[in-house]
Amino acid sequence: MEYKTAAIYPCLFYQDAKAAIDWLERAFGFQRIIVVPDEDGRVVHAELNLGRVAIMAGDIGAGNMTGAKSPRDAGGYTQSVYVAIDNADVQGHYERAKAAGAEITRKLETKDYGGSGYSARDPEGHEWSFGSYRPEIPA
């Protein structure tokens, strides 16, 4: 079976999703689409976008997110989110992240396989990579 309209939307879990959302906006340029709080004000579900890319986020323990851990809880990250951005925007994005205090884990560089990019961690330890490389997907 072939899925021509499949899309991936990473869902990240945070100890403090409100603070994480604020930081993701400031450091990486994400914009809030929706933030759904529970009766205690914890984030049950949030959606953020950066151009045509979207992610979801929420507080650990809110709603049905009882088994989730942030990298801070787990002692390190277990996955990385890669976001492809326009080549002309990579340098500016890198500078914005540095100015917001992002922990740069891989400095901006040109890749042997094409494009340029960098990696950084958010305050709870999620690993993010941003760059101009786009995997070639068969038609």
Side-chain angles (χ1 to χ4, degrees):
M1 178 174 265
E2 188 174 326
Y3 297 96
K4 292 187 181 222
T5 60
I8 295 174
Y9 302 103
C11 185
L12 299 132
F13 303 102
Y14 290 94
Q15 293 174 347
D16 186 347
K18 287 180 187 174
I21 291 166
D22 288 343
W23 191 89
L24 291 168
E25 288 177 318
R26 188 173 59 257
F28 294 154
F30 280 94
Q31 297 178 329
R32 294 167 206 233
I33 299 170
I34 184 173
V35 177
V36 180
D38 65 12
E39 59 277 356
D40 297 323
R42 296 178 54 103
V43 178
V44 174
H45 178 78
E47 297 171 11
L48 298 93
N49 76 294
L50 180 64
R52 298 192 48 80
V53 172
I55 63 167
M56 295 181 277
D59 277 307
I60 295 167
N64 63 355
M65 296 186 221
T66 56
K69 293 185 177 191
S70 84
R72 187 186 291 167
D73 295 327
Y77 69 95
T78 60
Q79 63 184 4
S80 175
V81 178
Y82 176 76
V83 181
I85 56 179
D86 293 335
N87 193 44
D89 297 338
V90 176
Q91 178 73 38
H93 196 275
Y94 176 70
E95 296 301 332
R96 176 185 185 144
K98 283 184 9 181
E103 177 190 350
I104 303 299
T105 57
R106 192 169 33 90
K107 292 181 180 180
L108 179 62
E109 61 186 2
T110 300
K111 307 297 180 188
D112 292 339
Y113 49 84
S116 63
Y118 75 97
S119 296
R121 286 199 188 108
D122 69 25
E124 289 202 24
H126 290 285
E127 183 82 7
W128 294 84
S129 294
F130 294 90
S132 61
Y133 176 78
R134 294 177 189 266
E136 194 169 314
I137 301 170

